Amino acid sequence: MNTERKIPLILDGDPGHDDAIAWVLAAADPRFDIRAITAVAGNQTLAKVAENCRKIAALLHLDIEVAKGREVPLIADLMTGGDYHGETGLDGADLPAPEHPFSSRSAVEMMADVLRESEDPVIIVATGPQTNVAALLLAHPELKPKIRLVSIMGGGLRNGNWTSTAEFNILNDPEAAWILFHAGVPVLMCGLDVTEQAIIYPEEWQKLRSLHNRVADTVAAWLDFFSIKLKELGWEGVTLHDPCAVLALSHPEIFTIKECNVDVVLDGEYTRGLTMCTRTAKEQPASCRAVTGLDREKFVALLIEACRSFGGGEVTE
Ligand code: BDR
Ligand code: CA
């Protein structure tokens, strides 16, 4: 990543424990300049995740407004992930009160303003359904050249998690995903291929508590909560899906990335929301870079280091 100028970022998501941890990573990296936070319905209703966005911004001392996006997918009905993320969408930790009111602009208006006003092209990190991003692309195709990259958590080339073929963010709004993959903007796809390898184990996140800073304590409390449902499903640790969409930007050297052409299946009782590589980069210029693997231990070390950067001491074993 070029370190000379800060890279402007828009964080679009549905926090959500792993969205929130992704944003901790983005806020900790001095090479990024977070210009906007936009909320999209997904893990919980828009009202709940948007409120979480404001509290996360306060926790991370991000002096920016939050804009609300769409309350429902473009065409589909909303499915929430309440079983995993709790009643608020971000259960498990007390968060600071929001410092700013909601923006009077919609998510699309805020994203469009950031793109228009930015001298450098902007990276959009989309860690929820791609509803807001698709709405932006439809409303403002003229701004596509201002989008350097859309880094998503979503999909996968091998399997699903919400159905056996579809991942939650894509299945929530497959039409939005289709619009993104067909928009002609560069996409970096952190799908389940990599995110199900991005596991942090309890003994690793307990170390965060020895840092004695509020961000680290909060991340540990989020991971405690998020692990409950995952344990019922047989996971020994927590799969950190959304943080991959940030770390694959900042630390591509720890990931395996494959160039390919990705499409989204919109129909079929068993296939709606499936993402697949339709042609290799040799057959057709690639529309996407799909992230397929990572060095797990380095990934965990980067998360601990990011939490440490918010103050406090050394990690003790
Ligand atoms: C995705 O679904 C959500 O529950 C997580 O926040 C992540 O974005 C994983 O399928
Ligand atoms: Ca998410």
Side-chain angles (χ1 to χ4, degrees), residues 10-316:
I10 294 173
L11 301 177
D12 179 68
D14 58 341
H17 297 77
D18 52 338
D19 301 77
I21 297 170
W23 296 357
V24 168
L25 289 162
D29 195 320
R31 296 170 295 173
F32 291 134
D33 177 11
I34 300 171
R35 301 263 173 97
I37 291 182
T38 52
V40 63
N43 283 324
Q44 262 298 357
T45 60
L46 181 69
K48 289 181 182 179
V49 300
E51 190 63 10
N52 295 340
C53 289
R54 292 203 302 156
K55 291 178 180 171
I56 299 163
L59 175 74
L60 300 176
H61 306 295
L62 295 174
D63 190 19
I64 48 179
E65 290 180 334
V66 169
K68 290 184 188 172
R70 289 178 56 96
E71 282 187 66
V72 287
L74 297 184
I75 294 174
D77 294 328
L78 177 68
M79 312 175 297
T80 60
D83 279 359
Y84 293 84
H85 300 274
E87 194 50 45
T88 63
L90 193 52
D91 283 7
D94 287 331
L95 296 175
E99 286 171 0
H100 295 287
F102 283 113
S103 173
S104 56
R105 294 173 287 174
S106 70
V108 167
E109 287 166 345
M110 184 182 271
M111 286 172 154
D113 285 347
V114 169
L115 293 176
R116 229 178 264 119
E117 289 161 13
S118 179
E119 217 176 291
D120 296 322
V122 176
I123 296 181
I124 301 175
V125 179
T127 53
Q130 293 84 36
T131 314
N132 290 341
V133 177
L136 170 75
L137 294 167
L138 292 175
H140 293 287
E142 78 285 0
L143 292 174
K144 285 182 191 175
K146 302 298 291 282
I147 300 175
R148 174 166 166 176
L149 177 69
V150 183
S151 177
I152 68 163
M153 188 284 132
L157 301 180
R158 285 181 320 192
N159 61 289
N161 59 359
W162 217 250
T163 67
S164 54
T165 57
E167 181 280 330
F168 178 79
N169 288 337
I170 304 284
L171 186 62
N172 225 310
D173 198 342
E175 283 75 19
W178 191 96
I179 288 166
L180 171 62
F181 281 110
H182 290 259
V185 295
V187 177
L188 181 66
M189 179 176 92
C190 288
L192 297 171
D193 316 292
V194 62
T195 69
E196 288 189 339
Q197 298 176 50
I199 299 173
I200 184 167
Y201 293 106
E203 60 276 16
E204 292 170 329
W205 79 73
Q206 290 313 328
K207 292 179 190 167
L208 295 173
R209 295 204 153 90
S210 63
L211 292 174
H212 303 296
N213 77 57
R214 184 163 187 184
V215 173
D217 286 344
T218 302
V219 171
W222 283 333
L223 290 168
D224 285 344
F225 183 88
F226 202 26
S227 67
I228 297 169
K229 181 73 184 170
L230 289 171
K231 195 165 188 181
E232 284 172 29
L233 294 172
W235 291 94
E236 304 240 322
V238 169
T239 37
L240 287 173
H241 300 284
D242 295 338
C244 292
V246 172
L247 287 183
L249 297 173
S250 58
H251 295 84
E253 68 283 359
I254 72 161
F255 293 89
T256 309
I257 301 178
K258 166 182 169 168
E259 306 230 328
C260 59
N261 291 283
V262 171
D263 212 336
V264 185
V265 177
L266 296 179
D267 57 4
E269 187 180 355
Y270 304 112
T271 51
R272 182 165 159 78
L274 181 154
T275 45
M276 61 190 294
C277 176
T278 52
R279 284 190 178 78
T280 66
K282 279 189 188 149
E283 294 168 315
Q284 183 179 308
S287 63
C288 174
R289 284 184 300 136
V291 186
T292 56
L294 86 171
D295 181 327
R296 192 200 72 82
E297 287 183 5
K298 286 189 181 154
F299 176 91
V300 170
L302 287 167
L303 174 59
I304 293 174
E305 183 53 29
C307 290
R308 199 189 59 77
S309 74
F310 287 90
E314 293 302 310
V315 168
T316 52

